[in-house]
Amino acid sequence: MPNTTKQALEESLKHMLLKKPLDKITIRDITEDCGISRMAFYYHFQDKYALAEWVFDTEIIALLQKADTADRWALIDAICRYLYQSRAFYAHLMQYDGQNAFRRHFQEFLFRAVEKYLLPAPGEIDAVAACNGIPAQTARDFYAHFLADAVLVAVFHWLGEGAKLPPEQFVALLHSTERLIHIQSNQLEQEKAGRAAES
């Protein structure tokens, strides 16, 4: 049994999402399911979207406190394992793309996580930026958005298709894209150096 009103509302939202999409769920559906008054709901949350965001924020903060944030791929693995364990809930949440869509909240979380934990070392980004005459902060913002959007789209597809791949295989594929980019980058550098030597 949940020990707080918020947890009871969380369980009801998860239960209701197994029956119908988020845009069809009403506050009455949620409160009647758990036997809590609408007044109590609005005391804690502005709407069902705020409830969904609270569920994610509460659980993801607990996850990040336990995860090895020094290892960026271990962190992505932990996030994907969490999403996999609650895949039915998040697959339904992410299907909705209207006003207050959860996917926007998730995208903001990913951007902050990428910016804080997942970007390459600042020296690597600054070196790339300097070679191309780009301000370092502009380059960092670009890479953070790029990586966050790439992971976001991959996660949407993964969950939307029922998360058929287990999280460790999904993360391995994500990780391999970084290696492929490095390989391609090295090939381009070698071709550039070869052309410079010929001229």
Side-chain angles (χ1 to χ4, degrees), residues 14 59 81-92 159:
K14 289 180 175 179
E59 294 181 351
R81 285 179 186 276
Y82 161 71
L83 293 172
Y84 185 79
Q85 289 170 353
S86 303
R87 57 191 176 278
F89 177 63
Y90 286 110
H92 283 89
L159 292 176

Side-chain angles (χ1 to χ4, degrees), residues 156-183:
F156 283 163
H157 283 297
W158 179 52
L159 292 176
E161 293 171 355
K164 294 172 186 172
L165 281 177
E168 60 274 11
Q169 291 181 1
F170 176 69
V171 172
L173 285 174
L174 286 177
H175 196 176
S176 70
T177 60
E178 184 178 59
R179 290 195 295 271
L180 289 172
I181 290 169
H182 278 302
I183 290 168

Side-chain angles (χ1 to χ4, degrees), residues 27-47:
I27 301 302
R28 176 175 287 181
D29 289 333
I30 297 169
T31 55
E32 285 183 353
D33 183 71
C34 62
I36 288 173
S37 70
R38 287 167 61 87
M39 185 178 296
F41 178 96
Y42 286 116
Y43 175 80
H44 293 288
F45 301 107
Q46 180 180 350
D47 53 32

Side-chain angles (χ1 to χ4, degrees), residues 118-133:
L118 307 180
L119 282 180
E124 293 178 40
I125 295 176
D126 294 351
V128 171
C131 286
N132 294 284

